[in-house]
Amino acid sequence: MSNIKAQFDKAVQIVKELPAEGPLKPTQDDQLLFYGYFKQANEGDNTTTRPGAFDFKGKYKWDAWKKLEGMSKEEAMAKYVELLKGKLEAAGDETSKAKLAELEAAGAA
């Protein structure tokens, strides 16, 4: 558990630092997946009420988290890390390789 927690924490840091443009820019679908996994990993199942009709962004985020209901916090952490690894490997540039190495090192600690 501690290795996945350390790796998850590092992955969250990396995702927060991703550039707004370029090969590492996450798609909207990726952003929703990251959000859902993050919320599930930190808070567990979504027990909040769904946002109102005109809060489109809020509804998408709520739905992304709600879809993960029943997933353990540890599994959500692992899925978050896997998603980021996939994005970094697909980008394949030097920055991505460096970030991937940081992520791997965090998991080995």
Side-chain angles (χ1 to χ4, degrees):
M1 164 67 181
S2 62
N3 281 354
I4 190 60
K5 175 71 170 122
Q7 206 169 23
F8 172 75
D9 290 343
K10 185 62 179 178
V12 169
Q13 178 188 346
I14 291 170
V15 168
K16 286 181 180 179
E17 296 170 353
L18 289 178
E21 297 298 325
L24 283 177
K25 178 184 176 189
T27 65
Q28 286 184 339
D29 287 342
D30 290 337
Q31 290 176 18
L32 288 171
L33 282 171
F34 280 125
Y35 177 83
Y37 290 139
F38 178 85
K39 292 293 276 186
Q40 190 69 18
N42 285 293
E43 298 182 34
D45 288 344
N46 183 348
T47 58
T48 63
T49 54
R50 193 167 192 253
F54 295 105
D55 184 359
F56 299 109
K57 184 176 180 180
K59 285 193 299 188
Y60 284 124
K61 290 168 76 174
W62 188 91
D63 290 343
W65 181 16
K66 189 70 172 175
K67 286 180 193 175
L68 304 176
E69 195 166 18
M71 180 182 287
S72 73
K73 290 182 176 188
E74 292 79 15
E75 183 180 357
M77 286 180 199
K79 294 279 188 185
Y80 189 101
V81 170
E82 287 173 25
L83 179 60
L84 179 58
K85 281 183 180 179
K87 300 303 289 177
L88 293 172
E89 289 168 353
D93 64 346
E94 290 306 313
T95 301
S96 300
K97 290 176 184 175
K99 296 291 184 191
L100 189 56
E102 289 177 30
L103 194 55
E104 296 293 339

